[in-house]
Amino acid sequence: MSRRDRRRSGPALTVPEPLLDALARLHGPLEAPETVARLARGVAALQAGLTQDRARFSGGHYLERADLRAAYQSYYLCANAPKLWPALDRLADALPEPFAVLELGGGPGTGVAGVGLWARARGRTVRHHLTDHRSANLAAARDLAQALGLPLRTSALDLTAPSYEGPPADLVLMMNVINELPPSADAGLAALLDRAVAPRGVALALEPAAATPSRRALALRDALVAAGWHPRFPCPHAQACPTLAVGDWCH
């Protein structure tokens, strides 16, 4: 085995059948040519806008469009939801039974599917509260949760000026949202997490493995460390991130 093969070897993350079945009920049978063509057009537009030309989405958020929301749920959600499972496995002993989740900027339900299916497979009970500042995302997440048979509470929350007053959660989850927030939001996020994370709870953030979103997430990490938070992983030290000091990044 080559050195590269060794580095890439690891457990395979697959999309569970219940999620595929739920998406088929929401967006049409995934084996139907017309469904495939419609979703493929949406995925192509998303990929171009998210990786090549962000300016094409500058006139309004892409998830406000029903066609792009369906494409996001059918492709990006399936790619991102399984990324939660290794992290949740590492945190399992720290989460009580049942455990409460507060998701910040939850979009159309990636975290709902990821946490809910993980908990179901392990016989755990989860109370999931998803927040987002776009009503279209809240509705899409509720539809997905219903199709999966998962309980879900939703409410509106703007992370650029958060004013959450709900009960603290055992797990506060942020997925692919930090990179869309300006650095000026970090102080408000730190204050929000102080209120929203239970005394023995944890905050978990997952961002795209690319230079710009990684540097943005590491900047938030440093802001939280400065505010008195202690990282658990991937780097369990409460000092400034050395990669940012040299203008580098990691994932």
Side-chain angles (χ1 to χ4, degrees), residues 5 16 26 28 35 50 64-66 77 94-95 122 124 127 151 153 166 184 203 212 214 221 230 244:
D5 288 340
L26 290 174
T35 302
L50 293 174
E64 293 285 4
R65 286 176 46 182
L77 187 149
L95 299 174
R122 289 155 181 79
R124 303 290 300 269
R127 298 191 298 267
R153 177 188 170 203
S184 58
T212 299
S214 172
R221 174 206 176 275
H230 182 79
L244 285 182

Side-chain angles (χ1 to χ4, degrees), residues 4-21:
R4 180 171 180 175
D5 288 340
R6 262 200 318 274
R7 187 170 63 246
R8 288 179 174 271
S9 63
L13 298 177
T14 58
V15 182
E17 288 295 327
L19 178 54
L20 295 176
D21 292 341

Side-chain angles (χ1 to χ4, degrees), residues 17-61:
E17 288 295 327
L19 178 54
L20 295 176
D21 292 341
L23 292 171
R25 289 196 293 276
L26 290 174
H27 304 306
L30 301 181
E31 67 276 6
E34 60 272 19
T35 302
V36 172
R38 173 168 46 83
L39 295 176
R41 288 192 297 271
V43 170
L46 282 171
Q47 186 72 2
L50 293 174
T51 64
Q52 301 168 23
D53 182 18
R54 281 269 186 172
R56 71 168 56 199
F57 293 144
S58 61
H61 199 273

Side-chain angles (χ1 to χ4, degrees), residues 145-173:
Q146 183 176 20
L148 288 167
L150 296 171
L152 178 66
R153 177 188 170 203
T154 63
S155 62
L157 180 66
D158 183 356
L159 292 179
T160 62
S163 58
Y164 177 75
E165 300 297 338
D170 304 300
L171 172 66
V172 174
L173 176 63

Side-chain angles (χ1 to χ4, degrees), residues 95-180:
L95 299 174
E97 175 59 30
F99 66 98
V101 174
L102 172 65
E103 187 171 1
L104 305 178
T110 303
V112 173
V115 175
L117 293 174
W118 177 87
R120 179 181 290 170
R122 289 155 181 79
R124 303 290 300 269
T125 304
V126 56
R127 298 191 298 267
H128 202 122
H129 178 188
L130 179 144
T131 67
D132 199 282
H133 73 296
R134 299 187 183 275
S135 58
N137 283 341
L138 298 176
R142 288 193 296 268
D143 289 343
L144 179 63
Q146 183 176 20
L148 288 167
L150 296 171
L152 178 66
R153 177 188 170 203
T154 63
S155 62
L157 180 66
D158 183 356
L159 292 179
T160 62
S163 58
Y164 177 75
E165 300 297 338
D170 304 300
L171 172 66
V172 174
L173 176 63
M174 297 164 281
M175 289 192 72
N176 300 332
V177 66
I178 295 168
N179 72 93
E180 297 192 358

